[in-house]
Amino acid sequence: MAAKVISPIKPRVSQYGVDPKYVTKRISDYPEMTSVKLKELFADTPDVIYPSEKGIAAIRENVIKALEKVDMSMIKPGDSVNILASHHGFTLLGGEPYAEVLKTVREVIAERTGATDIRLRAGVGLRFRETEEYIKAFGLDVAFNGKAKGVAPIDKGIPIETEIGTLYGIAAVYDADWIVHVHNSDVREVHFHRHVDRAVKPFGMSYARIETRSTYHQNLGPRGANFTARAIFASEFVQSKFAFATFMNMSPAGVVSIEADNDLLALNEKITADGLRYYGKIMTLLGEIDECIAGLDFPAPVPYVFAAGVIFANFVGANVDLFDLDNPLPPYTWYTEAFYDKSGKPLIENVPPVNPAIKMVVHNYAWGGYPSAFFAHQIPTVVVGREQADLMDRDPQNLDYMKYAVIARDLDSAMAYAYKVAKTDKVIIFDGAAGGLNCSESLAEYLKAKAPEVSRRVDQELLPKWLRQRGIDPNIFKK
């Protein structure tokens, strides 16, 4: 008997997505859909503290415990403190765990240091009002006594002198005596950062002005620009304000632990190693899929919807080993970041195509707010409902999305169309199912058959290589 599906993440009220009332059916509702727990695929999937029987209390308990070893003596009672956050933490497991980390860090700082001027500065990507929505939704404005603020890359900047020249941060991020970096280790955009300096990245992204962020994407290319975030963090200005960091240490199954340290680079090495160990197998397994329909059904922009803890953008490039630094930039990054000729083809020769296993995309529920026409241009796409099509048409970043996609009246029509055109019954659903993934029974059986060999290959061949490429001892997990 097939396993029951895992409850997908609920639609969220946001200016970047359709009203949840228009999401009348989820892809996981169909009888041919089932679920696979990550522990079924890989027995060494780590246990998690959340989701768990303790619920959100487990997050608070582990934050308090992790902070016991952190030195906060530099923070005096009259000092101001900015707790720094990034928007994507709120997309993990519904957002409540990350919000609880932020609240608990604030409480512990206040209790241990006597400081009362503790603020939240929550950065964003291209959806400039997104963290303002999260601040209200999770009561962070109340928890921070009215001192919670969303910051965007177009806000007032501040020059930061670094070893490579002047770069620019967001002034509001650095307008306190001390900063506390609160983030997570979800690998997220491996197609961009290639899992290099993951813990430091926000200093060149969420906390940076648009001019410096653009260095990451346009000027140097993602892999070449990783050092800009490291340069900002290493600057005398930032170091004079940096107190400590606290991370949700993630696996595809959930929150494994809470990690905190005054030494961000030491923390960076740990989450780099853990990220490769925890995400390497599922990302390699998804790259083994030979054909499928991809269903988007999650409250985030097209590339950032989740299945098995992996974002859709990584699946689009899964035909290349995204962790292997011997590979050039993966298909997704090449296509979106490189120059094009007049016919629309990349100027660089021998660029691999996007994942050919994706035969069609069913866009049941996903947001705008990120340039996504590329996906509809590269992969046949059917969008469910006129309301969702209109949303994309009105989005300045997606004016061409519907130029390449077709509209279905409802989800039933979209799925029937997808099955007919794609000629496969394998379906993977990017709906944020916690602890596993929702998919068709046919794909579930396929993944189970492929998992043992993937597990062996990652353990014996790929993981040691990935670690060595990042200067980490392959025996780190045996110590």
Side-chain angles (χ1 to χ4, degrees), residues 86-227:
S86 297
H87 61 292
H88 115 255
F90 296 104
T91 69
L92 301 174
L93 303 171
E96 190 179 8
Y98 188 54
E100 188 66 18
V101 173
L102 293 167
K103 293 174 183 177
T104 308
V105 169
R106 190 206 69 80
E107 291 175 14
V108 174
I109 292 173
E111 179 181 334
R112 284 180 52 183
T113 71
T116 56
D117 188 8
I118 305 173
R119 310 89 161 263
L120 175 66
R121 299 289 188 258
V124 296
L126 294 176
R127 295 162 303 287
F128 295 162
R129 310 301 291 272
E130 185 177 2
T131 49
E132 293 179 6
E133 295 180 353
Y134 296 139
I135 285 168
K136 291 182 174 59
F138 295 105
L140 291 166
D141 48 348
V142 176
F144 279 78
N145 301 314
K147 295 181 179 180
K149 178 180 180 179
V151 295
I154 57 171
D155 290 350
K156 180 181 178 181
I158 184 169
I160 301 174
E161 299 305 320
T162 77
E163 61 184 328
I164 60 171
T166 305
L167 298 172
Y168 294 87
I170 299 171
V173 166
Y174 297 103
D175 67 359
D177 297 312
W178 301 102
I179 57 173
V180 174
H181 176 40
V182 180
H183 203 52
N184 66 84
S185 69
D186 170 34
V187 296
R188 191 157 161 99
E189 300 164 314
V190 184
H191 55 280
F192 277 158
H193 58 69
R194 303 304 297 276
H195 207 54
V196 174
D197 276 353
R198 177 73 183 85
V200 185
K201 183 188 173 197
F203 287 90
M205 295 292 282
S206 299
Y207 312 155
R209 264 284 304 189
I210 193 70
E211 297 87 352
T212 292
R213 286 181 63 106
S214 295
T215 301
Y216 193 89
H217 288 298
Q218 275 77 39
N219 302 64
L220 296 173
R223 185 171 168 189
N226 282 321
F227 66 83

Side-chain angles (χ1 to χ4, degrees), residues 251-280:
S251 82
V255 183
V256 177
S257 63
I258 302 295
E259 303 293 335
D261 206 315
N262 295 99
D263 185 344
L264 181 58
L265 299 185
L267 186 55
N268 182 61
E269 180 167 313
K270 175 174 175 51
I271 70 163
T272 297
D274 283 351
L276 295 170
R277 175 171 58 161
Y278 296 154
Y279 286 85

Side-chain angles (χ1 to χ4, degrees), residues 194-409:
R194 303 304 297 276
H195 207 54
V196 174
D197 276 353
R198 177 73 183 85
V200 185
K201 183 188 173 197
F203 287 90
M205 295 292 282
S206 299
Y207 312 155
R209 264 284 304 189
I210 193 70
E211 297 87 352
T212 292
R213 286 181 63 106
S214 295
T215 301
Y216 193 89
H217 288 298
Q218 275 77 39
N219 302 64
L220 296 173
R223 185 171 168 189
N226 282 321
F227 66 83
T228 59
R230 175 77 79 109
I232 292 173
F233 176 70
S235 70
E236 183 178 345
F237 173 73
V238 173
Q239 286 298 304
S240 71
K241 292 177 175 289
F242 180 76
F244 64 91
T246 304
F247 271 61
M248 288 199 309
N249 193 19
M250 302 295 299
S251 82
V255 183
V256 177
S257 63
I258 302 295
E259 303 293 335
D261 206 315
N262 295 99
D263 185 344
L264 181 58
L265 299 185
L267 186 55
N268 182 61
E269 180 167 313
K270 175 174 175 51
I271 70 163
T272 297
D274 283 351
L276 295 170
R277 175 171 58 161
Y278 296 154
Y279 286 85
K281 290 184 179 181
I282 189 60
M283 287 184 61
T284 303
L285 180 61
L286 293 182
E288 292 289 317
I289 295 174
D290 58 346
E291 61 178 17
C292 70
I293 296 164
L296 314 184
D297 208 357
F298 182 90
V302 170
Y304 297 129
V305 297
F306 283 91
V310 177
I311 61 172
F312 179 61
N314 286 335
F315 186 50
V316 169
N319 50 313
V320 171
D321 182 349
L322 301 182
F323 287 127
D324 187 350
L325 299 183
D326 287 342
N327 290 327
L329 295 177
Y332 167 69
T333 299
W334 275 123
Y335 274 121
T336 53
E337 306 298 327
F339 291 106
Y340 295 77
D341 64 21
K342 292 181 179 179
S343 68
K345 295 181 179 179
L347 291 171
I348 302 167
E349 295 181 0
N350 301 318
V351 178
V354 298
N355 190 352
I358 309 173
K359 303 304 181 183
M360 180 161 285
V361 167
V362 175
H363 181 146
N364 186 49
Y365 174 56
W367 293 356
Y370 186 94
S372 301
F374 157 81
F375 298 99
H377 181 253
Q378 294 293 322
I379 306 168
T381 299
V382 54
V383 175
V384 176
R386 169 57 63 182
E387 296 82 8
Q388 198 146 219
D390 289 345
L391 175 84
M392 301 302 276
D393 277 338
R394 292 193 301 268
D395 182 356
Q397 299 183 66
N398 285 291
L399 297 177
D400 286 340
Y401 189 83
M402 293 309 303
K403 176 180 177 181
Y404 306 113
V406 298
I407 305 172
R409 179 178 60 188

